[in-house]
């Protein structure tokens, strides 16, 4: 077996047929690599001036080894020949020789027969039709293929267009004909017809700095300049500007129409705002022509060639029900035909700072101690103290001893003062965090002959996180091959991607319980700490009279020794097989198949030394009343949690491609059929009494409850769980575009999706989604006479996309959680009342766009307006509770999202020193236009973490209680029905939304970036400034109820109302006991905590030294880049007065990180 | 010339093209399928009908219907409102009252006209209808399962269970959201909407009180005909015993004492075991076992209101001193039912439910003994009444301390039975209905509260003894509100 889990001997059982496919792929790739450029031909070199014909023929015979047959009489008719040939084929040599002669020749095998030309009538007719088949490939100045270029025989109507590899062929072309090759944005080119024209390199129209973009929809390649839809291309250079181990973070601030939100540790991507409420709101990720639903972090960015973002209906409708949130198409690298082998090595290292643990506000140790003293005097801890096993803090312990008289007041105060000086964050910073280091290495080899192209890449990433004990690595391998068979009528492509990554986490998460606790003593030895809801120090000191296991928790020991750890191993591979067969001239058939398999194996060993194992064993232990001996129902030993999740996707696609250019008319069309299945499965199991040396464990009753050693309650062990999910879908699609004189382009698409998600009735209907679009290249019109405008194109599209909601079906469904009722019986809950009329969500998408380029490309860009309307969105409607359900879930809601996407590229200085600016500006404003559910009371509107749709307001609305300041007693004043009130319960439960202040969206509504690039000779410097406007954030606020429950990570305690008159200086209510939960909730939700999130961020900076042979002739390589990149550089401006980074309101911001790298091309 | 020939060739090609395009597309579809299914092991006829998720159950089998009935978070709850508004609790002080999280708890305590104060889905109305919805789904589903000798026993058990469950829920609704049962006016008084099928498209108006009670007994009869007579150890599963117990409770509430006594007799004939409290820990915060001898059917009041939690940590309420003082010093119920706080006040400990912090509102044999004793007293059968009362109380007193009750006056005996009923069944959710029915018979109980210096009173037979129907139910179904 190829894939084994090292060290443990756990085999991954890949399906047999997959192994077979993999083997076959490797074989094919290896074989083809060996075949590269194995074809050679007779080469002839001749240099003659007015030489006798016969002499030249003899010379050719000698060089070629061919036999020549002719009679001497004919030779006398020959003219002398002047030639200068170097390394040409025999055909070319003969052709040159016979130019203008009255003789003709035929080649048969290795024999050349020379005859006198006979010009009968038929011959003369034949001469007219004497023609050749012309082949060639149109490429841009950087060698990338130009699909859709037009090739016309000059003076005739015979035309064709190049395919996705830039290749074309024309049959029956007069040998002497001239071909005109044209492509928008490039200078037209004329060349003499020849059988094989090889690579025809096109030159960019003067003033243009960038090559023409070819965008990918995942189904076909479209030249952007002929696309009606809204596509944004992120080219390879832009994609690789930033350094990261993943592909998603490289999309930040480099493209219009995409909002990259990084809050806390989560990242969300959204294309043109949100147009669903509760369904999947993530953009569809497409890799290698198929949707990618696996773990995105397994993709190596070095394997990505470029990225296309499909934003509107015309661009994305081809993806049907999955396109409602936009589509991001990653195109992976491949080799190029007729290109020598090149080897690229890229390696970099990124160092990140320690996270700032002091970023999040919290009470000081001294303040916490004062609160504890206050509560102690209120008698809060009496019940706890009287229960001998319940945890009390060291301060409460001291106070109790003082109360009992075992400590004097001064002793107690002295002991407490010591604690006041301690800060757990200092120790966490010292022991738990470090600088992060990410290393990345990648090597790839690519190249191609006339009939084959290949790409091979291997990558290795090693990251050690800023959390001590946490690291991960990734190995990726990718190989692809494409070759032409059957006189280039058949193209076969294979692609294989493999990745193996592992994650290693040592130590269990330590949640600080008290701010003045210490995890290590001065010498660095681990100290025991207390746990919220855990056991008292004095109780664990005793350890059941010594019968039990040590019951102390020393987090630092666990971290250092890895007593509790988590290991994850992820294996994944993707196989893509494709075949394209040219049936006849304009029509080809293609078949594609993808298999993707991924599995994650997780192990969470907790050794007997770990607190978790000891605690569980102790908790369940008891003393047998008859024998007096200790009994351990949970066996002595470690705990081993094992989990496995697998993901399999299989997809097959058959497609007809049609590509025809007839004079002024160009038609491209695809029609296809696709079948797909995604399957996930997982299981989780836990072994007890685990001994790693013997790999043994002991059985434990998973349903039993073990009464606790201390009262009351019981412990139970983790039950084994498993589950699976499967998505099946069948789709039909059609996409066509028609262009007239490349001035007007009309496009249309249609797609129908059917799946197993919604149940039979919805399936029978499927969901038909369509789009239509128009493009007008205004600058090509004869009447358009503005010489300074290079390009002006207008685009308009309309169409429908869909959204998927996997949580709902048309049937009555119940869900069985793996829990039992009081009498140990499994039970189930109805999760879905039957709804026969359930449909897919639809999004109507209108896009209007202008593409322009002026002053010879000095200023170019696009401006687009969009309007997205979500229809039939799945949401909830209230129904009379007497039916047994309070909400009816169905297609009940609508939304509206509008916005603008602007991208402007400007060449400010274009001398040896160059200065380029890219400006990106987006707006996206959404609104709920129909939703019938109760919005809930004011409390539920305010505390909504998710979406709480209210008609007429943004999907993610920020509301707050109107704030009336503090009264003279330090209590907050609110409003009930417009009147000042302190009835917090009624304020919170009121349905009068007018008592709330509405601010706006919680999500940025205006965002974008500015990137400036400076270059001089081989040095390039660029930096990005990102900005986000038009949204609001909520600060966390002091909450006495949770403070009394021990949550000390709260702000503003020092600013609280303490004396009359303070209400003029502060908004923080006074500390009262008992706390009033309603008052706390009101204060926490009050408008005084709302701030604008607006910000301007110094996103990143990049410096690149790019050396090549043009600059340094002696360079031993063709290209050498040395680069540096820094990110998380902080904010330039922000509206918030509270947060250094308004996007980070809890925890700590991403620390500054800096990368250095080297890229060489041989 | 050349152009003409090209044109002909082109036309021919086009013709070929037209005919072949259909063939090609069929070929493509076939190829896609072949390629796709080559890697599959099973057949794909139902490719688009495949169940999408292992966690989803489309209930069709008896086991799956049983799983719906076993859901105690749906079927195991009774309405909270009678506990919040009866005289079995009082708030420690006004501040505690003010800090209550729910308006319902505040308003119900002082018997406000509007108790919901804008709150919706408070559960009191909805939970019972959810339980009915489940039962209706099970009844509808069972009708599609062919009965065979093999499955007959289980089919009947589930069929009976679902009907029992529906009867239980409708009674809980009618005794709270409809006026006290009135035989004379039952045809005109409003009951509750009766939903007998699982459809969610249909809105039912309120039935009459008579229709509601008829339905309850129709369902209870079906349950009796299908359930087993033997006691179940799973106290959420009904048997004939629980059916009789429920019937006795309902008839008592209706004032139909003869029928109530018959049901009580039938119940006790099948099962009459009592728990001897001398065997119960007086100090344990959880004195009873999950499967207590006395418990017939397990339900609790759901714990949405903190004041109703039965843990010693409930710092919101006291048990009124008036009630505490009713218990004799040798009465084991005082230490078993209540925990004494340091300041001398009392709070309710866990009862028959043992686990969880919600008070037990199910059926138990002690209630049936008291029903039997009450009904017997009402027909002046002093001997029978005292026998059942003494049989119960002897298990409640410290061994050797109980002096049997020996009252000969039926009216005085009835008073004694009712006092014992209040002491025995405290915090079981029965007190409110007892006040309703007894006032109807002329008992003349006035409830009163003193809160922040204000006295609130609820006079006998006040319309506020019937709770209002939640606002969102009225708004969405248009059914009629109670006069309050």
């Amino acid at each position: 077996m190829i894939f084994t889990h090292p060290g443990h001997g756990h085999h991954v059982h890949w399906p047999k047929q997959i192994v077979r496919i993999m083997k076959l792929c490797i074989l094919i790739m290896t074989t083809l690599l060996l075949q590269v450029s194995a074809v050679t031909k007779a080469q002839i070199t001749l240099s003659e001036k007015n030489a006798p014909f016969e002499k030249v023929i003899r010379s050719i015979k000698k060089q070629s080894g061919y036999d020549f047959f002719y009679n001497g009489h004919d030779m006398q008719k020959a003219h002398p020949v002047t030639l200068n040939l170097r390394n040409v084929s025999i055909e070319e040599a003969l052709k040159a020789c016979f130019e203008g002669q009255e003789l003709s020749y035929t080649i048969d095998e290795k024999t050349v027969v020379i005859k006198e030309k006979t010009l009968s009538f038929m011959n003369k007719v034949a001469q007219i039709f004497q023609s050749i088949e012309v082949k060639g490939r149109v490429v841009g100045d950087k060698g990338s293929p130009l699909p859709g270029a037009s090739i016309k025989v000059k003076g005739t109507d015979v035309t064709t267009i190049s395919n996705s590899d830039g290749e074309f062929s024309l049959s029956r072309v007069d040998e002497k004909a001239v071909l005109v090759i044209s492509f928008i944005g490039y200078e037209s080119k004329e060349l003499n017809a020849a059988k094989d024209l090889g690579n025809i390199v096109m030159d960019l129209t003067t003033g243009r700095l960038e090559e023409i973009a070819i965008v990918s929809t995942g189904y076909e390649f479209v030249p952007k300049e002929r696309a009606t839809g809204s596509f944004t291309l992120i080219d390879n250079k832009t994609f690789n500007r930033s350094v990261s181990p993943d592909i998603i973070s490289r999309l930040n601030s480099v493209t219009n129409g995409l909002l990259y939100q990084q809050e806390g540790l989560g990242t969300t991507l959204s294309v043109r705002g949100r147009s669903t409420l509760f369904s999947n709101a993530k953009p569809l990720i497409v890799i290698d022509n198929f949707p990618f639903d696996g773990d995105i972090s397994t993709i190596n960015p070095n394997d990505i060639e470029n990225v296309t973002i499909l934003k509107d209906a015309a661009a994305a409708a081809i993806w049907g029900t999955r396109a409602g949130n936009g589509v991001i198409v990653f195109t992976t690298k491949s080799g190029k035909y007729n290109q020598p082998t090149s080897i690229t090595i890229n390696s970099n290292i990124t160092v990140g700072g320690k996270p700032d643990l002091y970023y999040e506000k919290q009470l000081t140790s001294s303040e916490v101690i004062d609160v504890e003293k206050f509560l102690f005097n209120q008698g809060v801890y009496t019940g706890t103290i009287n229960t001998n096993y319940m945890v009390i803090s060291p301060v409460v312990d001291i106070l109790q001893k003082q109360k009992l008289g075992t400590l004097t007041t001064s002793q107690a105060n002295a002991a407490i003062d010591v604690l006041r000086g301690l800060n757990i964050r200092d120790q966490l910073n010292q022991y738990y965090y470090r600088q992060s280091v990410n290393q990345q290495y990648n090597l790839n080899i690519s190249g191609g002959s006339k009939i084959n192209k290949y790409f091979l890449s291997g990558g290795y990433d090693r990251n050690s996180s800023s959390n001590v004990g946490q690291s991960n690595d990734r190995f990726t391998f990718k190989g692809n091959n494409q070759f032409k068979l059957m006189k280039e009528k058949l193209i076969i492509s294979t692609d294989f991607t493999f990745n193996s990554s592992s994650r290693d986490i040592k130590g269990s998460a330590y949640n600080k319980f008290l701010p003045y606790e210490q995890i290590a003593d001065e010498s660095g030895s681990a100290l025991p700490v207390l746990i919220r809801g855990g056991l008292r120090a004095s109780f664990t000191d005793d350890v059941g009279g010594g019968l039990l296991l040590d019951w102390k928790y020393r987090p630092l020991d666990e971290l250092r020794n890895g007593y509790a750890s988590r290991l994850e191993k992820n294996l994944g591979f993707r196989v893509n097989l494709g075949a394209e067969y040219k049936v006849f001239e304009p029509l080809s058939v293609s078949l594609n198949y993808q298999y993707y398999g991924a599995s994650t194996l997780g192990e969470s060993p907790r050794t007997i030394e770990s607190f978790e194992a000891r605690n569980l064993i102790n908790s369940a232990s008891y003393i047998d009343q008859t024998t007096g001996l200790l009994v351990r129902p949970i066996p002595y030993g470690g705990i081993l949690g094992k989990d496995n999740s697998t993901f399999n996707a299989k997809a097959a696609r058959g497609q007809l491609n049609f590509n025809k250019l007839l004079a002024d008319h160009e038609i491209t069309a695809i029609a296809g059929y696709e079948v797909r299945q995604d399957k996930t499965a997982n299981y989780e199991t836990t072994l007890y009494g685990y001994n790693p040396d013997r790999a043994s464990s002991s059985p434990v009753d998973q349903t039993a409850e073990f009464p606790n050693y201390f009262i009351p309650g019981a412990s139970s062990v983790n039950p084994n769980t498993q589950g699976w999910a499967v998505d099946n879908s069948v789709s039909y699609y059609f996409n066509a575009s028609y262009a007239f004189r490349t001035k007007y382009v009309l496009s249309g698409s249609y797609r129908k999706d059917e799946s197993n998600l919604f149940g039979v009735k919805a399936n029978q209907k499927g969901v038909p989604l369509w789009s239509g679009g128009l493009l007008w290249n205004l600058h090509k019109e004869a009447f358009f006479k503005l010489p300074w405008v290079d390009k002006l194109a207008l685009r308009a599209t309309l169409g429908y996309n869909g959204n998927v909601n996997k949580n709902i079906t048309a049937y009555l469904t119940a869900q069985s959680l793996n829990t039992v009722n009081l009498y140990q019986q499994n039970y189930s809950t109805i999760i879905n009342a039957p709804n026969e009329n359930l449909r897919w969500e639809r999004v109507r998408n209108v896009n209007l766009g202008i593409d322009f380029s002026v002053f010879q490309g000095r200023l170019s860009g696009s401006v687009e307006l969009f309007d997205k309307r979500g229809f039939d969105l799945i949401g909830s409607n209230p129904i009379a509770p007497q039916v047994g359900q309070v909400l009816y879930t169905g297609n009940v809601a609508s939304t509206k999202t509008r916005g603008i996407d602007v991208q402007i590229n400007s060449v400010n200085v274009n001398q040896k020193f160059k200065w380029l600016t890219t400006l990106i500006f987006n707006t996206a404003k959404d609104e709920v236009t129909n939703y019938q559910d109760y919005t809930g009371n004011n409390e539920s509107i305010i505390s909504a973490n998710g979406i709480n749709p209210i008609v007429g307001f943004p999907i993610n609305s920020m509301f707050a209680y109107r704030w009336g300041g503090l009264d003279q007693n330090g209590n907050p004043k609110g409003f009930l029905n417009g009147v000042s009130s302190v009835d917090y319960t009624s304020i919170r439960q009121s349905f009068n939304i007018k008592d709330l202040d509405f601010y706006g969206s919680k999500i940025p509504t205006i965002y974008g970036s500015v990137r400036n690039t400076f270059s001089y000779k081989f040095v390039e410097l660029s930096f990005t400034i990102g900005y986000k406007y038009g949204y609001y954030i909520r600060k966390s606020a002091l909450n006495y109820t949770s403070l009394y429950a021990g949550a000390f990570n709260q702000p503003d305690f020092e600013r609280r109302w303490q004396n009359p008159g303070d209400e003029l200086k502060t908004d923080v209510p006074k500390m009262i006991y008992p706390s009033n939960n309603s008052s706390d909730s009101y204060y926490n939700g009050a408008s005084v905590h709302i701030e604008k999130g607006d910000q301007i961020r110094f996103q990143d900076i990049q410096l690149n030294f790019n050396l090549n042979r043009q600059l340094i002739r002696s360079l031993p390589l063709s290209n050498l880049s040395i680069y540096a990149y820094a990110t998380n550089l902080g904010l330039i401006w922000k509206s918030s007065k509270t947060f250094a980074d308004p996007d980070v309101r809890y925890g700590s911001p991403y620390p500054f990180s800096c990368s250095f790298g080297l890229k060489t091309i041989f | 010339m050349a152009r003409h020939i090209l044109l002909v060739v082109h036309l021919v090609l086009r013709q070929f093209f037209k005919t072949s395009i259909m063939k090609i597309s069929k070929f493509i579809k076939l190829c896609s399928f072949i390629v796709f299914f080559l890697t599959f092991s099973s057949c794909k006829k139902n490719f688009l009908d495949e169940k999408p998720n292992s966690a989803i159950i489309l209930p069709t089998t008896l086991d799956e219907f049983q799983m719906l009935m076993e859901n105690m978070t749906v079927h195991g709850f009774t309405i909270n409102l009678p506990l919040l508004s009866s005289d079995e609790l009082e708030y420690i002080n006004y501040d505690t009252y003010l800090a209550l999280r729910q308006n319902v708890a505040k308003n119900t305590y002082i018997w406000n006209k509007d108790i919901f104060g804008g709150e919706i889905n408070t559960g009191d109305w909805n939970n019972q209808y959810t339980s009915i919805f489940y039962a209706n789904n099970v009844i509808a589903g069972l009708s599609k399962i062919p009965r065979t000798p093999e499955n007959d026993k289980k089919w009947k058990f589930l069929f009976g269970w679902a009907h029992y469950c529906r009867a239980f829920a409708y009674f809980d609704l009618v005794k709270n959201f409809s006026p006290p049962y009135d035989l004379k006016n039952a045809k005109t008084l409003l009951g509750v909407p009766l939903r007998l099928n699982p459809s969610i498209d249909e809105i039912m108006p309120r039935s009459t009180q008579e229709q509601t009670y008829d339905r309850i007994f129709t369902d209870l009869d079906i349950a009796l005909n299908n359930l087993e007579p033997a006691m179940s150890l799973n106290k959420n599963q009904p048997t004939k015993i629980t059916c009789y117990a429920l019937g006795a409770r309902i008839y008592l509430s209706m004032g139909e004492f003869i029928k109530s006594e018959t049901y009580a007799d039938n119940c006790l004939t099948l099962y009459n075991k009592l728990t001897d409290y001398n065997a119960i820990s007086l100090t344990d915060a959880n004195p009873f076992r999950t499967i207590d001898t006395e418990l017939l059917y397990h339900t609790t009041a759901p714990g949405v209101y903190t004041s109703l939690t039965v843990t010693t940590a409930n710092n919101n309420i006291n048990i009124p001193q008036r009630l505490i003082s009713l218990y004799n010093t040798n009465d084991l119920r005082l230490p078993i039912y209540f925990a004494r706080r340091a300041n001398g006040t009392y709070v309710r400990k866990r009862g028959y439910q043992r686990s969880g912090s919600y008070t037990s509102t199910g059926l138990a044999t002690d209630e049936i003994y008291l029903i039997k004793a009450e009904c017997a007293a009402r027909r002046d059968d002093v001997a029978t009444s005292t026998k059942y009362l003494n049989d119960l109380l002897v298990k409640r007193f410290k061994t050797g301390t109980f002096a049997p009750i020996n009252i000969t006056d039926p009216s005085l005996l009835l008073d004694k039975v009712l006092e014992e009923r209040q002491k025995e069944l405290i915090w079981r959710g029965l007190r409110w209905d007892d006040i309703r029915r007894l006032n109807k018979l002329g008992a003349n109980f006035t409830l009163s509260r003193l809160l922040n210096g204000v006295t609130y009173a609820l006079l006998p037979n006040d319309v506020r003894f019937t709770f209002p129907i939640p606002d969102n139910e009225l708004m969405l179904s248009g059914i009629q509100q109670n006069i309050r």
Side-chain angles (χ1 to χ4, degrees), chain A residues 690-909:
Chain A
Y690 177 68
N691 181 329
D693 292 339
R694 295 200 310 270
S696 63
S697 63
S698 313
V700 181
D701 184 352
Q702 293 193 338
T703 55
E705 294 215 318
F706 305 106
N708 277 341
Y709 182 81
F710 49 92
I711 56 163
S715 304
S716 55
V717 298
N718 293 340
N720 295 342
T721 60
Q722 55 189 326
W724 53 260
V726 59
D727 293 352
N728 294 341
S729 61
V730 172
S731 311
Y732 308 84
Y733 59 90
F734 172 74
N735 196 353
S737 86
Y738 165 74
F740 179 69
R741 287 185 181 158
T742 67
K743 266 188 229 168
Y744 315 104
V745 182
L746 186 68
S747 76
S749 71
Y750 175 87
R751 171 155 170 147
K752 192 173 161 197
D753 285 299
E754 297 171 353
S755 89
N756 70 328
L757 284 177
F758 283 171
V760 180
K761 199 162 177 182
N763 268 330
Q764 283 165 350
K765 291 180 201 158
V767 59
L769 298 164
W770 58 268
S771 76
L774 284 168
L775 167 70
W776 182 20
N777 282 315
L778 196 57
H779 62 282
K780 292 198 171 179
E781 293 291 357
F783 60 78
F784 189 84
K785 289 192 178 80
L786 290 172
W788 52 275
V789 177
D790 320 321
K791 178 181 179 179
L792 185 62
L794 304 177
R795 289 184 276 119
T797 63
L798 165 69
Y800 287 86
N801 297 331
N803 283 324
V804 175
N805 189 324
K806 293 186 183 177
N807 301 323
I808 182 165
T809 83
Y811 302 114
L812 167 80
T813 52
Q815 189 168 30
S816 170
L817 304 167
N818 286 306
T819 49
V820 290
N821 69 17
L822 189 60
Y823 302 102
Q824 309 299 318
Q825 300 297 308
N826 282 310
Y827 67 89
S828 63
T829 305
I830 291 179
I831 48 167
N832 196 79
N835 175 5
E836 291 196 332
N837 299 316
L838 199 67
R839 316 181 280 286
W840 266 264
E841 294 188 351
R842 288 182 303 145
V843 182
R844 194 192 74 183
N845 220 318
V846 174
N847 189 71
L848 300 172
I850 298 176
D851 299 314
F852 65 91
S853 170
V854 294
F855 305 122
Q856 296 189 315
R858 291 294 283 267
L859 196 65
S860 63
S862 67
V863 178
E864 291 179 290
L865 273 70
F866 65 89
D867 179 304
K868 291 166 86 173
R869 304 282 171 111
F871 293 109
D872 291 344
L873 300 187
I874 288 167
S876 303
N877 260 6
I879 44 173
Q882 62 157 280
V883 307
Q885 302 271 293
V886 241
L887 291 173
Y888 159 88
T889 304
N891 305 82
V892 297
S894 315
T895 58
K896 175 172 85 179
T897 310
R898 278 180 176 171
I900 305 169
D901 294 344
V902 180
Q903 178 151 357
I904 293 170
N905 306 308
S906 132
V907 184
N908 307 321
V909 179

Side-chain angles (χ1 to χ4, degrees), chain A residues 85-230:
Chain A
L85 302 172
R86 275 187 79 81
N87 287 336
V88 298
S89 67
I90 184 155
E91 289 89 345
E92 279 168 290
L94 289 173
K95 195 184 151 197
C97 242
F98 282 79
E99 187 82 37
Q101 301 285 356
E102 307 287 342
L103 300 169
S104 70
Y105 65 93
T106 50
I107 305 172
D108 186 18
E109 294 283 346
K110 291 189 89 180
T111 307
V112 182
V113 181
I114 300 169
K115 276 182 184 170
E116 189 187 358
K117 276 183 182 169
T118 47
L119 296 173
S120 64
F121 176 71
M122 282 310 290
N123 284 85
K124 279 179 181 168
V125 174
Q127 198 176 32
I128 297 167
F129 286 98
Q130 185 167 40
S131 57
I132 55 171
E133 183 168 353
V134 178
K135 275 186 183 172
R137 181 165 178 268
V138 189
V139 295
D141 60 358
K142 285 174 188 162
S144 52
L146 297 179
S150 89
I151 300 96
K152 185 175 183 180
V153 181
K154 201 173 180 180
T156 70
D157 281 346
V158 180
T159 44
T160 188
I161 50 176
S162 58
N163 68 10
S164 59
D165 273 315
E167 296 162 335
F168 68 89
S169 67
L170 274 172
S171 44
R172 288 179 298 281
V173 176
D174 191 311
E175 276 188 303
K176 289 167 188 160
V178 172
L179 300 183
V180 182
I181 295 150
S182 50
F183 194 81
I184 306 160
Y186 288 83
E187 302 285 0
S188 284
K189 202 162 198 171
E190 295 195 359
L191 352 133
N192 292 327
K195 275 196 175 173
D196 193 344
L197 292 164
N199 278 351
I200 303 161
V201 182
M202 303 285 284
D203 298 316
L204 285 165
T205 313
T206 326
R208 226 174 219 295
L209 291 157
E210 295 294 326
E211 265 191 42
I212 275 311
I214 305 298
V215 293
S216 168
T217 68
Y219 284 90
E220 58 176 344
F221 289 92
V222 183
K224 194 171 177 313
E225 308 240 351
R226 219 170 273 176
T228 60
S230 180

Side-chain angles (χ1 to χ4, degrees), chain B residues 6-70:
Chain B
L6 273 176
L7 195 69
V8 171
V9 170
H10 192 75
L11 282 170
V12 169
L13 267 177
R14 261 176 63 186
Q15 198 53 44
F16 170 61
F17 196 84
K18 258 185 197 166
T19 52
S20 66
I21 192 126
M22 295 312 293
K23 280 184 201 161
I24 290 169
S25 67
K26 270 181 193 160
F27 170 76
I28 279 183
K29 215 166 153 175
L30 188 72
C31 282
S32 312
F33 252 117
I34 291 168
V35 171
F36 188 70
F37 293 136
L38 271 177
T39 52
F40 277 73
S41 49
S42 65
C43 189
K44 356 287 167 233
K45 201 175 178 186
N46 301 321
F47 188 61
L48 294 176
D49 296 337
E50 198 169 343
K51 188 171 98 161
N53 192 325
S54 59
I56 284 177
I57 300 164
L58 306 167
T60 48
T61 65
L62 292 176
D63 283 341
E64 285 162 350
F65 289 125
Q66 178 163 353
M67 282 169 75
L68 288 176
M69 294 311 298
E70 295 282 4

Side-chain angles (χ1 to χ4, degrees), chain A residues 463-577:
Chain A
N463 304 333
S464 69
S465 126
S466 56
N467 294 66
V468 172
Q470 298 190 13
S471 63
N472 60 291
D473 61 17
R474 178 183 68 197
F475 170 76
T476 61
F477 173 77
K478 186 177 179 69
N480 61 45
N481 238 306
Q482 198 176 74
F483 46 94
K484 300 171 179 173
L485 301 168
M486 297 167 66
K487 295 180 182 168
E488 306 193 357
K489 269 186 170 284
L490 179 67
I491 299 171
I492 300 283
S493 37
T494 60
D495 184 300
F496 179 87
T497 309
F498 170 79
N499 70 273
S500 157
S501 49
S502 64
R503 185 185 304 276
D504 192 350
I505 299 170
K506 281 200 171 62
S508 49
Y510 167 55
N511 298 313
K512 48 192 180 173
F513 169 47
L514 291 161
Y516 50 78
E517 255 192 328
Q518 297 288 284
I519 53 173
D521 64 16
E522 279 161 13
S523 64
S525 307
L527 289 175
V529 300
L530 300 171
I531 301 167
R532 175 161 298 137
L535 296 169
R536 189 173 304 177
S538 57
F539 185 82
T540 52
D541 284 344
D542 173 57
V543 227
L547 286 168
L548 298 172
L549 302 172
D550 169 31
W551 215 334
K552 299 287 184 192
Y553 175 42
R554 296 175 197 86
L556 201 54
D557 259 358
E558 311 237 333
L559 177 70
R560 284 174 173 161
N561 303 313
Y563 292 149
S565 57
R566 164 100 186 139
L567 304 159
E568 261 176 37
K569 190 108 184 116
N570 184 302
L571 289 174
F573 69 92
R574 262 179 303 140
V575 178
N576 282 29
L577 300 173

